[in-house]
Amino acid sequence: MEKKLRTKDKILQASIELFNQVGERQVTTNHIAAHLGISPGNLYYHFRNKEDIVRQIFKEYAKLLETRIKPPSDKAEALDALACYLDAVFELMWRFHFFYANLPDILARDPALQQDYLQVQHGVLSRVIAVLKALKQSDVIRIDDEDITDLAHSIKLLVTFWISYLKTQAPHKEIDQASVYQGVLKVLLLFKPYATEQAKPRITRLQQHYEALAL
């Protein structure tokens, strides 16, 4: 059983690597098997087809969303929590950038995954709203309560479609870490107009940090 689990994990990691390199559309199960040096039959022992692999990768993605996007538990930790949130945004966008790059097409081919995605995104919106409310309560941002949900939607929209936007601007350019950090910087800039006076210096330092990474 332990060996089977190791092989299954290797298949998932190889799939993510290939999907990110050349795009999910261009990769077949035969490509994945050849990349790992295993037979297609061995791969099919663990996964029925490529859609099954994509669904399992999505489960990993959803688990990361759940564990990494959390509101600060303490007022003193609010700015640290914002930095952690931005780092989580980078991790998700970088590790799964094939998913962000071709999201509508991937979901259109798998109605079950589409439903799972909508359910997960509903939870993401709730967590981003909770983060914003906690930042407001901690005097990091100043925002009207009725605007919090709209800001959360804007943040989620930017994160979801930043990679796709980059692909429309330069279809043949490879997505690298700097371009993902440009997206993280854009997310931070959505917070900046709402920053309180006491939070502005730290947010400015965060901006400089991500500007350096985005070069």
Side-chain angles (χ1 to χ4, degrees):
M1 177 64 69
E2 185 179 352
K3 183 177 179 181
K4 291 177 183 176
L5 289 174
R6 283 203 303 267
T7 301
K8 187 172 184 177
D9 289 340
K10 287 178 181 178
I11 292 169
L12 291 174
Q13 292 309 311
S15 298
I16 293 172
E17 181 182 342
L18 290 173
F19 292 165
N20 282 337
Q21 284 178 356
V22 300
E24 176 269 341
R25 260 290 199 193
Q26 309 304 318
V27 178
T28 67
T29 50
N30 284 343
H31 291 138
I32 298 166
H35 183 75
L36 284 170
I38 63 176
S39 69
N42 194 348
L43 184 147
Y44 288 128
Y45 180 80
H46 299 281
F47 298 98
R48 295 189 303 274
N49 48 40
K50 191 175 78 170
E51 287 69 27
D52 196 18
I53 293 173
V54 172
R55 288 190 201 110
Q56 189 61 45
I57 291 172
F58 178 76
K59 288 180 181 179
E60 288 193 17
Y61 164 81
K63 189 182 299 183
L64 268 177
L65 280 173
E66 187 173 345
T67 56
R68 295 297 304 275
I69 300 180
K70 292 182 178 180
S73 56
D74 183 86
K75 183 174 181 177
E77 299 174 354
L79 278 166
D80 289 335
L82 175 57
C84 289
Y85 170 74
L86 293 170
D87 286 339
V89 166
F90 167 78
E91 180 183 355
L92 290 162
M93 291 173 73
W94 174 246
R95 184 174 177 187
F96 303 100
H97 62 259
F98 80 89
F99 192 69
Y100 289 99
N102 201 28
L103 182 62
D105 182 52
I106 291 173
L107 297 181
R109 286 184 271 121
D110 191 338
L113 182 61
Q114 169 84 59
Q115 292 305 311
D116 290 343
Y117 174 81
L118 291 175
Q119 184 175 353
V120 167
Q121 288 301 305
H122 180 75
V124 170
L125 180 64
S126 297
R127 283 192 289 276
V128 175
I129 288 172
V131 168
L132 292 175
K133 286 181 176 178
L135 291 174
K136 179 181 179 179
Q137 291 168 2
S138 301
D139 297 321
V140 173
I141 60 174
R142 186 170 290 115
I143 184 173
D144 293 336
D145 287 339
E146 58 266 28
D147 292 334
I148 287 177
T149 298
D150 281 338
L151 178 57
H153 272 294
S154 296
I155 292 168
K156 197 162 76 73
L157 186 67
L158 176 54
V159 172
T160 301
F161 293 106
W162 174 249
I163 300 294
S164 181
Y165 168 76
L166 290 177
K167 297 300 287 184
T168 65
Q169 301 304 298
H172 303 296
K173 185 178 179 181
E174 184 176 342
I175 300 296
D176 57 15
Q177 291 194 357
S179 60
V180 176
Y181 273 122
Q182 289 168 12
V184 175
L185 181 59
K186 298 294 187 296
V187 173
L188 175 62
L189 291 175
L190 289 178
F191 285 93
K192 194 172 182 180
Y194 300 98
T196 60
E197 287 302 318
Q198 68 179 33
K200 281 181 180 178
R202 176 69 184 278
I203 288 181
T204 297
R205 288 196 296 273
L206 277 174
Q207 181 178 346
Q208 293 167 344
H209 169 69
Y210 287 115
E211 283 174 343
L213 293 171
L215 292 176

